[in-house]
Amino acid sequence: MRVDLHMHSTASDGTSPPAALAEECRAAGLTHAILTDHDTAAGVAAFCAACATAGVRAISGVEFNCVYDGELHILGYGFDPAHPALARCLAEMAEERARRTGRMVANLNAAGIGVSLERVAEIAGSGVMGRPHIAQALIELHLAADIPEAFAKYLNRGCVGYSHREKLPSREAISLTRAAGGRCVLAHPLLTHDADLPGLIRRLAKEGIEGIEAYYPLHSDADAAFFLKQARELGLFVTAGSDYHGAGRHGTYLGKEARMSLELEAGVRLLFGEEGAV
Ligand code: AMP
Ligand code: ZN
Ligand code: FE
Ligand code: FE
């Protein structure tokens, strides 16, 4: 088993189209893969179809950016993308992302930074819009050297370009995913920067998450062991993901998160409906 349960495509802010990403999964030797674009499942059908052809097991996935003072990301897995309430919610999130991009470009323009909304929309293509697309446009104008610099100078909260975006409460993301037949997992828990991680995990478990992404490139072995212990105490499963965004982004790559354990294997079997199989 070689798994990567967290990656992005051009349907959000990744650089590989879903079908090409499936081929990259095969080339990376993955046996199980899940596409988890930000607030959209638009790439899931193409990704799963291409995975089937490539001999990689795949199920549906999404990464919800939830309401929180900081970053709280919830992964939804194995849901029906056509479920009406979930599909409606994701469509609304995409619209809000587009409106927010307009507000941010207007802020930048008002500050004399001549980034064009047309160019940002072109960069986003058919994918849902995000700040990384504005960052790319700023890089093209030589106003930033790379994406982290664009965020630090223009796009982070407190910067001239920033505009708030309406996000989904975690409780709602979880109940919608479950109503659509899926399961939820807390993504990269360390990146929440919560001072009371056990408290946060307990709250989310009450709201209905069933797993924790214990294995993530930024998690040390000690971090992973800590999240495994939290999972064991609360009866949650554990998962692993690289958060791949395409070539040359975020310093990660497909399958970068290669740590394995019996607990992870059990989590994957549960998610993919392979219980009992070896
Ligand atoms: P948005 O979804 O539009 O709020 O943009 C947030 C996304 O941008 C995150 O999910 C990351 O994928 C990416 N991102 C956020 N901060 C940075 C950063 N400092 N450098 C690179 N990418 C970032
Ligand atoms: Zn992203
Ligand atoms: Fe995330
Ligand atoms: Fe992600």
Side-chain angles (χ1 to χ4, degrees), residues 16 40 68 83 151 211:
S16 303
T40 182
Y68 189 70
H83 184 271
F151 270 82

Side-chain angles (χ1 to χ4, degrees), residues 13 38 65 73 97 100 130-132 147-148 151 165 245 250:
D13 58 350
H38 298 288
N65 294 33
H73 295 180
R97 279 177 167 279
R100 188 261 199 129
R131 282 179 288 171
I147 291 181
F151 270 82
R165 176 166 69 82
H245 276 71
H250 289 223

Side-chain angles (χ1 to χ4, degrees), residues 2-266:
R2 193 157 158 68
V3 310
D4 194 334
L5 312 182
H6 186 159
M7 62 187 76
H8 298 267
S9 77
T10 49
S12 64
D13 58 350
T15 51
S16 303
L21 186 60
E23 183 49 37
E24 291 177 50
C25 288
R26 188 202 57 74
L30 298 181
T31 56
H32 298 71
I34 310 182
L35 176 63
T36 52
D37 277 307
H38 298 288
D39 299 321
T40 182
V44 161
F47 179 74
C48 288
C51 277
T53 305
V56 178
R57 291 175 201 218
I59 58 173
S60 60
V62 66
E63 181 174 22
F64 296 102
N65 294 33
C66 296
V67 176
Y68 189 70
D69 185 22
E71 294 284 325
L72 175 59
H73 295 180
I74 304 278
L75 297 162
Y77 287 142
F79 52 85
D80 171 12
H83 184 271
L86 178 60
R88 199 178 321 120
C89 169
L90 293 174
E92 280 166 18
M93 305 288 291
E95 285 164 22
E96 167 59 6
R97 279 177 167 279
R99 284 192 299 267
R100 188 261 199 129
T101 301
R103 294 195 297 270
M104 288 193 60
V105 168
N107 287 348
L108 290 166
N109 292 164
I113 296 148
V115 63
S116 103
L117 185 56
E118 288 68 31
R119 183 60 197 140
V120 175
E122 230 169 69
I123 291 166
S126 59
V128 300
M129 292 175 133
R131 282 179 288 171
H133 302 121
I134 309 176
Q136 199 57 51
L138 290 165
I139 292 165
E140 287 178 3
L141 294 171
H142 304 289
L143 292 166
D146 54 20
I147 291 181
E149 190 186 321
F151 270 82
K153 281 171 77 175
Y154 302 107
L155 306 176
N156 279 330
R157 188 157 60 178
C159 296
V160 61
Y162 186 79
S163 172
H164 176 72
R165 176 166 69 82
E166 290 304 321
K167 295 180 184 175
L168 210 54
S170 53
R171 187 182 293 280
E172 207 170 309
I174 295 163
S175 69
L176 275 170
T177 303
R178 292 175 64 124
R183 293 186 159 96
C184 285
V185 168
L186 171 59
H188 45 63
L190 217 55
L191 295 190
T192 60
H193 299 294
D194 199 300
D196 176 20
L197 276 170
L200 174 69
I201 294 169
R202 269 198 309 277
R203 164 167 84 79
L204 292 169
K206 281 200 192 109
E207 292 182 10
I209 61 158
E210 295 173 65
I212 305 178
E213 191 176 50
Y215 300 102
Y216 187 78
L218 294 173
H219 292 176
S220 68
D221 286 348
D223 294 328
F226 171 78
F227 293 123
L228 246 74
K229 181 167 168 285
Q230 295 292 312
R232 202 176 309 121
E233 284 174 10
L234 293 167
L236 306 174
F237 60 83
V238 299
T239 67
S242 69
D243 212 353
Y244 177 68
H245 276 71
R249 284 279 312 278
H250 289 223
T252 188
Y253 51 87
L254 277 177
K256 175 168 188 180
E257 182 43 77
R259 286 171 284 190
M260 252 296 153
S261 66
L262 289 173
E263 289 88 343
L264 173 56
E265 200 165 318

